[in-house]
Each structure stands twice: as C-alpha cells, then as structure tokens.
Amino acid sequence: MILLKKPLRVLSFIAIAVFISACGTTAQYNPTTYPYELNEELLQQANIKTVIIPHVNLGPPSRKYLENVSPRIDGQVARYLKDNGFKVLPQRLFKKHYSNGIRAFGNPIDRTTGRVNKKTFSRIMHSVKNQLGEESALDAFIFTDLIEREVSFSGGMKHLARWDGVTRKPSLQGPGSGVSSGFDWAMLASVASLQVTIYNMDLQPLFINQGGLDATDAIDTRSSSGRFVRRKNILENENHISEGIMLALHPLIMMDNWPGDP
C-alpha cells in the first residue's frame, strides 16, 4: 500500500461522487498547510458513501478541555459531510459496539500515561467493524482527533500565527484591553488542529489530513509582564471551526481557495 503526498492536481478519482466541491474561506497560499496523504486506488475501491465518526481518537486521547468540545466538533464534521452528499450513521452505534469491545478485550487507553495499546485497539476495531458491517452498508470510519501544538504570534506588526493552513490573531483574556509593551511575542502559545483519518472496512488507511482550528491560549491582560493562559471558552468561533474542517477534509471534499501549494 502506497500513500501519495500531494498528488497531481487533476486527480483521476475526482469524478467519483464523493469528491464534491465545497465553499472555502482561505484565499492566499499558506506554507503551513498540511501535506495531506491519500491512497487513490483504495479510495476508488471504497466508493465512500456511508461513514461513521468514532467518538474515540485514533491516537492518544486529547487533552481534557479538548475532549469536552469534541462532540460539538464531531457534530459540525457530520453536518459538513451530510451537506456534501455523505450518509453519516449515528455515533451511538459505534459507541455501543466499542463498549462491547472493551468488555471483551479491555480498555486500550492507559489513562495514567495516555498511551494506547495498539494490539487491544486493533482487536476492538475489528470487532466493531464486523458488527457494524452486519448491520449497515458502512463504507468507512472517519476519525477526528483534536490535537494541540505550540506556535508564536510573532509574525510581523499584526502578530499573526500560522499553522496547518490557517492564520489567526491572538485573543485577550482579562479586564484589560491591551498588551504590555514588554510582551514577549516569541513566547509559544497552544493551538488546536483537527486531524481527520479515514479507514475502509478492511481497516486500511485511505486518507489523512489536518486543519488548524484556533488558539487554546489567550494573552492574560492581568499580567504586567505578559503571559499566555488557557482560554475560558475553547474553540467557540464557528467560522474558525468551519475553516479547519474544510482544510482537514480536502480533497475528499474539494475546498475552494485551498491554501496549499498548487
């Protein structure tokens, strides 16, 4: 199995019904755009029409404050998929069979370390896909991991940060309305991205991409020296979330004005 990075712009699978144009919001090239990977041959064979979004990460669990908003993000991903012609099965079906798998094979997540027992996770997923395959015409699993990285807002006079295809301004938190003159703009702040990974019913990887969402840190205006603190309201900007989803699902759903390298 070969994963192709940034395949030719004219893709042979573009005619497949699942590759449907969608509106985008980003107009300029962004060098941080994630170099998506896809398996063209397996995507053609899968002919994805019906999908389900697992409630668990493919990788390690997200931070707790990201886990709290993941159902809302999954809901927005499901709406975007439905708006573009996909049938999305209820997540509760996956939860039911995944819980049965845990009872049979054990929990694959060590909550103390956050590590994933890949062998146990694989056993559970094979059990889930067998049961769902008997109940429905499911074509693929779409994992939606909320991941976090660190960037700086030091780019130019506007203090913009760029990651995974997006450009964001810093947010303020506290009673003040400005930033101290001595603020260290090279200081790193935490930001979140959506990672989408798609597997077929043979549990073979078809596609992976990431789209930036928003900063999870804000500038603390109460600090005289300046610092970043965790935002009280995480990932609440609907436009930012929509942009990240479009980036993470491109080119499964083609994004107009995609900011990647043409």
Side-chain angles (χ1 to χ4, degrees):
M1 189 274 290
I2 300 175
L3 285 176
L4 304 176
K5 289 193 175 182
K6 294 188 196 174
L8 297 177
R9 297 299 295 163
V10 180
L11 301 172
S12 61
F13 57 80
I14 215 72
I16 300 176
V18 297
F19 294 94
I20 304 168
S21 293
C23 293
T25 57
T26 310
Q28 296 182 343
Y29 170 64
N30 188 325
T32 69
T33 304
Y34 191 82
Y36 63 81
E37 300 180 359
L38 56 83
N39 186 306
E40 182 179 344
E41 181 180 357
L42 288 181
L43 274 169
Q44 288 180 336
Q45 294 173 5
N47 190 22
I48 301 172
K49 296 178 180 178
T50 303
V51 303
I52 197 165
I53 302 173
H55 67 293
V56 294
N57 280 6
L58 180 62
S62 302
R63 302 291 292 273
K64 184 63 177 179
Y65 47 82
L66 292 177
E67 282 189 352
N68 292 338
V69 300
S70 62
R72 176 162 53 84
I73 304 299
D74 284 349
Q76 290 180 252
V77 172
R79 286 193 296 273
Y80 184 60
L81 289 166
K82 291 175 182 177
D83 288 345
N84 286 278
F86 293 89
K87 179 179 180 181
V88 182
L89 297 180
Q91 196 176 70
R92 58 180 170 76
L93 298 179
F94 183 92
K95 288 182 178 179
K96 178 181 70 173
H97 296 308
Y98 192 83
S99 295
N100 291 338
I102 288 179
R103 284 193 287 271
F105 304 108
N107 195 328
I109 307 298
D110 185 331
R111 283 291 177 178
T112 302
T113 64
R115 293 178 180 174
V116 180
N117 185 316
K118 295 182 179 180
K119 185 176 181 179
T120 301
F121 184 75
S122 177
R123 287 178 174 176
I124 293 174
M125 283 302 304
H126 276 86
S127 175
V128 170
K129 70 102 173 176
N130 289 337
Q131 294 177 72
L132 284 175
E134 294 175 357
E135 298 175 353
S136 64
L138 182 65
D139 300 312
F141 296 92
I142 298 184
F143 287 89
T144 54
D145 292 19
L146 293 179
I147 60 177
E148 205 169 37
R149 63 181 84 256
E150 291 187 323
V151 301
S152 66
F153 286 90
S154 58
M157 294 298 294
K158 294 183 179 180
H159 301 297
L160 301 175
R162 292 181 174 86
W163 75 96
D164 290 338
V166 299
T167 302
R168 301 286 185 252
K169 296 179 180 179
S171 297
L172 304 181
Q173 186 165 288
S177 59
V179 181
S180 65
S181 59
F183 187 81
D184 180 9
W185 287 104
M187 191 185 313
L188 296 177
S190 295
V191 299
S193 293
L194 172 67
Q195 176 175 288
V196 168
T197 312
I198 302 179
Y199 280 77
N200 64 13
M201 293 304 289
D202 292 324
L203 298 182
Q204 297 170 302
L206 307 180
F207 172 81
I208 182 171
N209 201 359
Q210 294 181 11
L213 297 173
D214 207 352
T216 53
D217 281 350
I219 297 173
D220 183 8
T221 59
R222 296 169 299 181
S223 172
S224 59
S225 59
R227 62 173 182 170
F228 283 105
V229 294
R230 182 74 60 233
R231 292 177 68 165
K232 292 181 179 178
N233 299 311
I234 301 292
L235 303 182
E236 62 179 358
N237 188 306
E238 295 294 325
N239 291 332
H240 289 174
I241 301 306
S242 294
E243 183 182 16
I245 291 172
M246 286 189 287
L247 284 163
L249 281 167
H250 176 88
L252 183 68
I253 302 173
M254 299 297 291
M255 177 181 180
D256 288 348
N257 300 318
W258 178 66
D261 187 350

